[in-house]
């Protein structure tokens, strides 16, 4: 069963990628969707077995590397953490595959698209089922490669190519830190297998290591380097700039990779390595600070964006920040719970936005929409459900997971944890405002599109709507069904030894202010947003005009792209231009291949003049040669 979960998507990818001309593009879509759907059903069976019977296993696919102390296998590790990730990856991937049949119906390269999607699914499954850091890194780089393929899928667009390259380069920064972390793990522990590393961690609490001229506690350095990798993959503050640009890819890509699966790999890494992170207070504090900064930063930027997909992209960035600061206060199970629920409602919002874009013939600016809720009734209702879940409206899935993060951060008891909880509440309010801004400006008010008549706006086909209904069910019920299992009374039984807690999470009840502040504020934000963005837009315009510098600051994403362009891109281009023009062309080429070819050409030009075609000239040259040879023989 485990083998089928992993390899069915790979088989589908090969089939669609190499044999679509034999089976046809439509059959490629159907076969890949069916195979990933089978993987999803099997993943649900595994998940059920883990919940009921505490099933755990480690299946060896093949021996990979055996060299000295290094022994690495290809394996499938099944435990509570990987079983949760299997459900998230396979279920969301299956729904996205089915949705893509309708969304990509007019694209001439459907089989290539589904091949990439299935290949990504395989790489992500390899990542989450690894039992060692090397296989984890293989899957890590695999999903990065597939992300590059899918972001730049419409490669004839220069913006798509630029976005794909940007995502690839920024992730290489994080991956460099991740690779150094793996090297250091092998240097310290002599192995890269999880169980062997985790069992040795307590022996190295006081060991120090010199890095970049600074003495670090070895475990602190390991955790920081691993977290740098997580920052890149999960688009955390400072390494976040690639995620909004990645929206150049088709919308199903955004839902699968940049909302529900790949970007959560960083959270998965931190939770998987909790037996190391628990011994590094410094690393946990850094994770908490970066997480809450990302949550707040992304929410402030999302509130002024106008591209429907970029608003949801920054929302993803913000929610990942919540997951990280949950891990930073030691609530790893709560981080996994929010990862689980977030996958449903964020995929729902992305695919719902795809339905809107589909109806508006690829228009993504919410300022050119409005007044279409009667034309798109199913999409409207489904996106409202996703928005309610995202904002933490009472009794939907986000309410249970997001509020739990805020509560456990407060109960952490440290000043950092309490501060993070307050930032979490403020961010929740901002989330509610920009989410309802999207809903109201997209579906309500006056119809503002001058290019498409409102009569032409129509609902999406059922092949696109059915996945949305399933995701809506998850957005409503996932929280209430699984809260006790993930963070409640049964959490110790479910998580078993897969998550390490040096200090058990607090069982105290947080103050009423912390418990009720978020649901009350996010509920009040609904009429407030309606008033600001529909009833009295003059107030919004006045606020923008009175605070133009702040508005531009947020609209330009805190000027991070401009800052990186100034600090890294332009100097790199200047350095590259210098080496190209003055080193490569003027020195290497001039005195190397160009110089040699120039000398040979000049010599050839002289020699060719001897080839006149006149017999008397050839006879004269022969005579000169004969005389030279005769003279030489007489002299010796």
């Amino acid at each position: 069963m485990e083998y089928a979960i992993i390899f069915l998507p790979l088989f589908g990818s090969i089939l669609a990628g190499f044999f679509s001309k034999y089976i046809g593009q439509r059959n490629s879509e159907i076969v890949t969707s069916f195979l990933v759907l089978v993987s999803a059903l099997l993943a649900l069976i595994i998940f059920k077995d883990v919940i009921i019977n505490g099933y755990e296993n480690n299946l060896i696919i093949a021996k990979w590397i055996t060299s000295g102390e290094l022994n690495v296998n290809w394996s499938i590790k099944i435990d509570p953490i990987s079983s949760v990730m299997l459900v998230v990856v396979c279920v969301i991937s299956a729904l996205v595959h089915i949705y893509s049949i309708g969304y990509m119906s007019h694209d001439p390269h459907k089989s290539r698209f589904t091949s990439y999607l299935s290949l990504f699914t395989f790489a992500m499954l390899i990542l989450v089922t690894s039992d060692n850091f090397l296989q984890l890194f293989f899957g890590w780089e695999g999903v990065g490669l597939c992300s590059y393929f899918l972001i730049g899928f419409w490669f004839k667009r220069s913006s798509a190519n630029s976005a794909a390259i940007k995502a690839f380069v920024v992730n290489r920064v994080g991956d460099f830190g991740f690779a150094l972390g793996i090297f250091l793990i092998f240097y310290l522990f002599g192995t890269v297998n999880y169980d062997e590393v985790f069992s040795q961690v307590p022996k190295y609490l006081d060991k120090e290591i010199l890095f970049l001229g600074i003495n670090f506690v070895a475990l602190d350095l390991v955790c920081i380097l691993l977290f740098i990798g997580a920052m890149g993959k999960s688009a955390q503050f400072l390494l976040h700039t690639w995620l909004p640009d990645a929206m150049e890819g088709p919308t199903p890509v955004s839902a699968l990779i940049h909302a529900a699966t790949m970007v959560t790999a960083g959270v998965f890494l931190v939770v998987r390595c909790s037996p190391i992170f628990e011994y590094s207070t410094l690393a946990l504090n850094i994770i908490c600070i970066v997480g809450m900064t990302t949550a707040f930063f992304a929410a402030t930027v999302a509130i002024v964006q106008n591209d429907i997909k970029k608003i949801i992209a920054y929302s993803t960035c913000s929610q990942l920040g919540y997951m990280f600061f949950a891990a930073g206060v030691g609530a790893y199970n709560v981080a996994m719970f929010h990862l689980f629920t977030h996958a449903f409602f964020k995929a729902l919002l992305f695919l719902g936005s795809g339905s809107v874009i589909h109806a508006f013939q690829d228009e993504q600016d919410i300022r050119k929409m409005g007044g279409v809720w009667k034309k798109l009734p199913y999409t409207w209702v489904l996106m409202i459900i996703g928005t309610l879940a995202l904002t933490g409206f009472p009794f939907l899935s986000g309410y249970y997971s997001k509020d739990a993060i805020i509560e456990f951060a407060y109960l952490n008891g440290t000043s950092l944890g309490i501060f993070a909880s307050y930032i979490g509440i403020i961010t929740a309010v901002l989330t509610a405002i920009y989410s309802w801004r999207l809903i109201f400006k997209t579906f309500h008010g006056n119809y503002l599109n001058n290019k498409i008549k409102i009569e032409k706006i129509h609902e999406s086909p059922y092949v696109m709507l059915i996945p949305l209904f399933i995701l809506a069910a998850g957005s409503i019920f996932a929280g209430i069904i699984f809260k006790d299992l993930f963070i409640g009374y049964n959490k110790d039984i479910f998580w078993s030894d897969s998550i390490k807690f040096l200090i058990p999470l607090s069982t105290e009840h947080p103050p009423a202010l912390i418990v009720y502040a978020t649901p009350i504020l996010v509920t009040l934000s609904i009429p407030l947003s309606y008033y600001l963005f529909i009833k009295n837009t003059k107030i919004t315009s006045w606020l923008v005009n009175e605070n133009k510098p702040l508005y531009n600051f947020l609209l330009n994403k805190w000027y991070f792209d401009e800052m990186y362009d100034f600090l890294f891109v332009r100097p790199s281009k200047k350095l590259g231009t210098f080496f190209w023009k003055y080193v490569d062309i003027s020195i290497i080429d001039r005195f190397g291949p160009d110089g040699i070819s120039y000398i040979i050409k000049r010599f050839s030009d002289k020699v060719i003049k001897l080839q006149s075609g006149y017999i008397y000239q050839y006879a004269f040259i022969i005579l000169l040669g004969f005389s030279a040879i005769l003279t030489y023989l007489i002299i010796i």
Side-chain angles (χ1 to χ4, degrees):
M1 186 184 297
E2 288 88 343
Y3 293 106
I5 293 173
I6 304 297
F7 289 107
L8 284 177
L10 177 62
F11 178 68
S13 176
I14 294 171
L15 204 61
F18 294 103
F19 300 99
S20 62
K21 63 181 179 180
Y22 303 111
I23 64 175
Q25 294 209 53
R26 176 46 62 90
N27 288 334
S28 296
E29 291 179 305
I30 293 171
V31 169
T32 51
S33 300
F34 174 74
L35 292 176
V36 177
L37 183 61
V38 172
S39 286
L41 295 174
L42 296 177
L44 289 169
I45 294 171
I46 292 285
F47 185 50
K48 177 185 174 184
D49 203 11
V50 171
I51 294 172
I52 297 174
N53 303 317
Y55 173 70
E56 292 190 16
N57 205 345
N58 191 8
L59 302 171
I60 305 300
I61 300 173
K63 290 191 178 296
W64 186 9
I65 300 173
T66 302
S67 177
E69 295 180 354
L70 182 62
N71 291 285
V72 181
N73 297 320
W74 286 107
S75 61
I76 304 175
K77 181 180 177 67
I78 301 296
D79 70 349
I81 296 176
S82 61
S83 68
V84 171
M85 293 302 295
L86 284 176
V87 169
V88 170
V89 173
C90 292
V91 170
I92 301 300
S93 181
L95 295 175
V96 167
H97 272 75
I98 296 168
Y99 177 93
S100 299
I101 295 174
Y103 189 85
M104 302 293 288
S105 59
H106 302 298
D107 194 278
H109 306 292
K110 295 186 282 288
S111 57
R112 177 164 62 90
F113 181 74
T114 54
S115 177
Y116 287 164
L117 283 183
S118 293
L119 184 62
F120 165 81
T121 305
F122 167 73
M124 193 69 193
L125 292 173
I126 284 290
L127 189 159
V128 301
T129 57
S130 62
D131 75 342
N132 62 79
F133 286 98
L134 207 56
Q135 183 181 330
L136 172 69
F137 190 73
F138 176 86
W140 194 273
E141 294 303 305
V143 295
L145 177 65
C146 293
S147 177
Y148 173 79
F149 288 155
L150 287 163
I151 294 169
F153 179 76
W154 289 318
F155 55 84
K156 292 184 179 179
R157 297 181 184 176
S158 59
S159 57
N161 287 324
S162 298
I165 293 170
K166 185 176 182 180
F168 200 75
V169 171
V170 173
N171 270 274
R172 294 295 72 71
V173 176
D175 293 353
F176 181 68
F178 186 30
L180 289 179
I182 296 174
F183 297 154
L184 183 55
I185 285 171
F186 181 68
Y187 173 76
L188 289 174
F189 303 107
T191 180
V192 291
N193 296 315
Y194 294 153
D195 293 341
E196 295 172 9
V197 171
F198 298 158
S199 64
Q200 296 182 57
V201 168
K203 300 176 185 176
Y204 292 86
L205 297 181
D206 300 321
K207 184 174 178 60
E208 294 188 349
I209 191 167
L210 187 67
F211 182 72
L212 299 178
I214 304 171
N215 267 323
F216 284 92
V217 174
L219 292 181
D220 285 347
L221 184 58
V222 167
C223 293
I224 291 169
L225 290 172
L226 292 178
F227 178 58
I228 289 172
M231 284 175 65
K233 196 64 74 184
S234 294
Q236 291 300 283
F237 190 69
L238 301 180
L239 294 179
H240 66 277
T241 54
W242 67 270
L243 185 61
D245 289 22
M247 298 304 106
E248 287 291 337
T251 302
V253 173
S254 305
L256 177 62
I257 295 183
H258 307 124
T261 55
M262 187 189 83
V263 290
T264 62
V267 181
F268 166 79
L269 173 64
V270 173
V271 175
R272 171 62 80 196
C273 295
S274 62
I276 307 177
F277 280 93
E278 274 293 274
Y279 291 97
S280 177
T281 303
L282 173 63
L284 289 177
N285 287 340
I286 291 172
I287 292 171
C288 186
I289 291 168
V290 171
M292 67 181 179
T293 303
T294 305
F296 177 75
F297 153 76
T300 61
V301 174
I303 208 164
V304 298
Q305 297 300 305
N306 296 307
D307 186 307
I308 188 171
K309 285 174 66 177
K310 286 191 176 181
I311 294 171
I312 303 173
Y314 276 109
S315 173
T316 300
C317 220
S318 183
Q319 297 306 306
L320 289 165
Y322 272 103
M323 297 175 208
F324 273 110
F325 85 68
V329 298
Y332 306 102
N333 57 329
V334 185
M336 286 299 294
F337 185 36
H338 195 51
L339 184 158
F340 182 76
T341 60
H342 173 264
F344 290 103
F345 55 74
K346 189 52 61 69
L348 173 60
L349 285 171
F350 262 118
L351 296 183
S353 71
S355 181
V356 172
I357 294 167
H358 183 76
F360 277 92
Q361 299 176 20
D362 298 328
E363 178 59 66
Q364 295 182 197
D365 192 332
I366 60 174
R367 295 171 298 181
K368 298 177 181 178
M369 299 178 184
V372 294
W373 68 274
K374 290 182 179 179
K375 290 287 184 178
L376 306 171
Y378 295 127
T379 301
W380 174 63
V381 171
L382 292 166
M383 285 197 71
I384 285 178
I385 291 172
T387 299
L388 289 170
L390 169 65
T391 58
F393 191 79
F395 310 118
L396 273 74
S397 58
Y399 166 75
Y400 294 100
S401 57
K402 186 191 289 186
D403 279 26
I405 291 174
I406 295 170
E407 291 169 16
F408 277 104
Y410 184 87
L411 291 173
N412 178 253
T414 63
S415 55
L416 185 61
I418 293 170
F419 183 65
S421 68
Y422 291 141
I423 291 294
I425 293 172
I426 295 169
T427 303
V429 175
L430 293 174
T431 302
I433 292 173
Y434 71 67
S435 298
W436 287 108
R437 173 178 176 263
L438 184 151
I439 291 293
F440 290 135
K441 290 184 79 68
T442 301
F443 294 100
H444 296 269
N446 297 321
Y447 183 75
L448 302 173
N449 195 298
N450 297 323
K451 294 182 180 180
I452 307 167
K453 292 183 178 180
I454 193 169
E455 291 78 16
K456 293 186 177 181
I457 302 296
H458 59 84
E459 188 60 271
S460 299
Y462 283 108
V463 72
M464 292 172 63
L465 290 176
I466 290 173
L468 296 182
F469 283 113
I470 296 171
L471 290 169
S475 301
I476 296 170
F477 299 112
I480 194 169
I481 291 174
F482 292 103
K483 67 181 178 67
D484 283 336
L485 184 72
F486 280 47
I487 63 173
Y489 299 110
N490 298 320
K491 66 180 184 302
D492 296 328
I493 298 173
F494 175 68
W495 294 114
S496 184
D497 297 326
S498 63
I499 293 179
K500 176 83 170 179
F501 295 103
L502 280 183
I503 301 174
L505 294 178
S506 174
T507 56
E508 296 180 13
H509 202 275
L513 175 64
I514 299 297
V515 174
Y516 297 113
T518 305
I520 290 173
L521 290 172
V522 300
T523 303
L524 292 175
S525 68
I526 301 174
L528 174 64
S529 300
Y530 182 76
Y531 181 77
L532 289 175
F533 302 118
I534 296 296
K535 292 294 290 183
N536 195 347
T537 55
K538 291 181 180 179
I539 293 180
T540 311
S541 301
W542 177 81
L543 287 171
V544 169
N545 293 327
E546 288 295 313
N547 300 277
K548 204 68 176 178
L550 176 61
Y551 175 77
N552 289 331
F553 178 72
L554 298 179
L555 188 65
N556 289 284
K557 303 156 284 189
W558 290 25
Y559 292 106
F560 268 102
D561 283 319
E562 290 78 3
M563 181 177 70
Y564 287 164
D565 184 61
F566 176 76
L567 293 176
F568 302 114
V569 177
R570 288 189 210 168
S572 298
K573 283 184 177 179
K574 287 180 180 178
L575 186 64
T577 302
F578 170 78
F579 279 112
W580 168 44
K581 288 187 175 180
Y582 298 102
V583 178
D584 193 17
I585 294 176
S586 300
I587 298 175
I588 297 174
D589 286 351
R590 182 179 178 185
F591 296 102
D594 289 350
I596 294 170
S597 63
Y598 174 76
I599 292 170
I600 292 172
K601 186 177 185 301
R602 290 295 300 273
F603 179 74
S604 300
D605 290 342
K606 297 293 183 184
V607 171
I608 201 171
K609 292 178 180 178
L610 299 174
Q611 305 297 322
S612 63
Y614 294 110
I615 295 176
Y616 65 86
Q617 286 187 354
Y618 294 156
F620 178 69
I621 292 170
I622 292 169
L623 184 60
L624 286 177
F626 176 74
S627 299
I629 294 170
L630 189 63
T631 303
Y632 174 74
L633 292 174
I634 292 170
I635 292 173
I636 63 171

